[in-house]
Amino acid sequence: MKPSIVVVGSLNMDFVVSVKQLAAPGETVLGRNFQMFPGGKGANQACASAKLGGNSVGVKMIGRVGYDIFADHLKASLSAAGVDVSAVHATRAQATGVAFIWLDAAGQNSIVVASGANGELAAADVEAMRPVFRGARYALFQLETPLGTVEAALKLAHEEGLETILDPAPSQPLPAGLLAQVDILTPNETEALKLLGRPMARVSPGEAKMLATGLQQMGPKAVIVKLGDQGCLAYDGVRHRHSPSFAVEVADTTAAGDTFNAGLAVALAEGAPLERALRFANAAAAISVTRCGAQASAPSRREVDALFQGQQEPARLT
Ligand code: RIB
């Protein structure tokens, strides 16, 4: 039986405006072009997992949408990538989630999410979908659905024998009971600093070692700090590994972290050792930043394999 991944999380329609510079508080800036893309951290991870897994990994999504045109569009985008959306249910209580994204000339962004139906995904809904988890290998979570639901779903995934990967985004304080259910926590540097109550700063791989160690002591089995163009730093309670990034030209960093998590889950579900999984995830994320849009930027397996060829430098123990 092929390995499978379950994603519990959000689906959003992304409204993206390109600007020269992100607006400061109280400032009006003129944008250039406007585009709509299927997004949402959960859906992005599901879509990228399906594209990267190809025919060898099954992907199922659990989430909530409204009864509207965006819901149809988002489900169609996932289905086209090969994601099973039979556990994405509609609610009449709210509209489908949306995200407003300003994208600057350097490819950096600023995002505001109106959660809508994503906020209606209850712990009881996930419990009712317990059969979806059976036989799967990895479960992916983010924080765009209610925290209580995430905690209950993490526990349920463990009960069903899955390994859990939590992307703590958007960042918020996390209870110890929730962190104890996490096998791999994958903050970016900002989220890592926030979770540890440290002031914001650019983080070097050396400094990321301290962040990963501090976070691992809060409960997760392992921590991978995503460092953007500096790659990532992993700590499993025994050793630190730094895996460098691939040099690419940046067009849009939206969903790079989601694509990284998808690459990590696909490689691990296929049985790759951690070093290779980190490299694979870095390659997938690197390709995603070279083009615009969230799900639209997720690479195919063939593209990642091509970037990999001749660049098999392993993660370094530090
Ligand atoms: O991680 C990127 C995603 O964050 C976007 O697609 C947007 O929907 C927000 O959820």
Side-chain angles (χ1 to χ4, degrees):
M1 207 172 67
K2 66 180 178 184
S4 65
I5 293 170
V6 177
V7 182
V8 180
S10 58
L11 301 93
N12 297 328
M13 183 54 84
D14 291 351
F15 296 82
V16 183
V17 179
S18 302
V19 293
K20 216 168 174 185
Q21 264 188 318
L22 303 181
E27 187 187 17
T28 300
V29 296
L30 284 179
R32 284 174 290 138
N33 55 320
F34 163 72
Q35 284 174 286
M36 281 197 285
F37 292 107
K41 295 186 193 300
N44 295 344
Q45 294 187 10
C47 177
S49 296
K51 283 186 173 177
L52 293 168
N55 290 328
S56 61
V57 177
V59 183
K60 296 172 192 167
M61 169 100 205
I62 295 176
R64 277 246 185 257
V65 289
Y67 279 95
D68 47 46
I69 192 171
F70 297 145
D72 301 338
H73 199 69
L74 292 171
K75 283 169 72 174
S77 169
L78 290 180
S79 296
V83 179
D84 177 343
V85 292
S86 55
V88 176
H89 295 303
T91 173
R92 295 207 181 276
Q94 289 278 345
T96 299
V98 292
F100 298 91
I101 303 180
W102 323 130
L103 179 66
D104 76 10
Q108 301 303 314
N109 61 37
S110 167
I111 305 180
V112 175
V113 174
S115 297
N118 297 305
E120 300 294 314
L121 185 71
D125 299 328
V126 180
E127 176 59 48
M129 292 172 205
R130 186 179 280 267
V132 174
F133 290 82
R134 296 215 169 110
R137 228 167 253 181
Y138 277 84
L140 303 185
F141 303 87
Q142 323 74 35
L143 299 176
E144 287 187 332
T145 50
L147 206 53
T149 306
V150 175
E151 187 164 359
L154 279 161
K155 196 160 165 276
L156 189 155
H158 267 166
E159 286 165 8
E160 294 298 332
L162 282 75
E163 299 278 319
T164 59
I165 301 179
L166 173 66
D167 196 3
S171 117
Q172 54 185 287
L174 296 174
L178 186 151
L179 285 169
Q181 297 290 337
V182 176
D183 290 307
I184 307 178
L185 184 74
T186 61
N188 63 22
E189 52 196 280
T190 310
E191 291 147 5
L193 288 165
K194 274 198 177 169
L195 282 169
L196 288 163
R198 305 254 180 97
M200 287 305 127
R202 189 80 222 267
V203 172
S204 69
E207 290 157 340
K209 276 167 77 171
M210 288 186 294
L211 300 183
T213 305
L215 288 170
Q216 198 269 344
Q217 285 164 357
M218 289 166 73
K221 280 207 191 102
V223 175
I224 300 172
V225 182
K226 295 182 273 194
L227 298 166
D229 60 4
Q230 300 183 96
C232 63
L233 189 289
Y235 180 59
D236 59 5
V238 179
R239 56 173 67 147
H240 294 92
R241 293 176 176 87
H242 174 240
S243 185
S245 185
F246 293 80
V248 289
E249 216 155 280
V250 178
D252 178 3
T253 56
T254 308
D258 299 329
T259 306
F260 178 98
N261 278 40
L264 180 73
V266 165
L268 292 175
E270 288 177 345
L274 183 61
E275 283 82 359
R276 187 177 163 81
L278 296 175
R279 197 82 182 127
F280 186 81
N282 274 334
I287 296 171
S288 80
V289 304
T290 63
R291 46 206 188 208
C292 290
Q295 289 164 40
S297 68
S300 67
R301 179 57 169 263
R302 189 184 296 192
E303 289 177 291
V304 177
D305 286 344
L307 184 59
F308 238 64
Q309 270 169 18
Q311 299 198 43
Q312 288 288 2
E313 184 188 339
R316 284 192 301 272
L317 297 180
T318 57

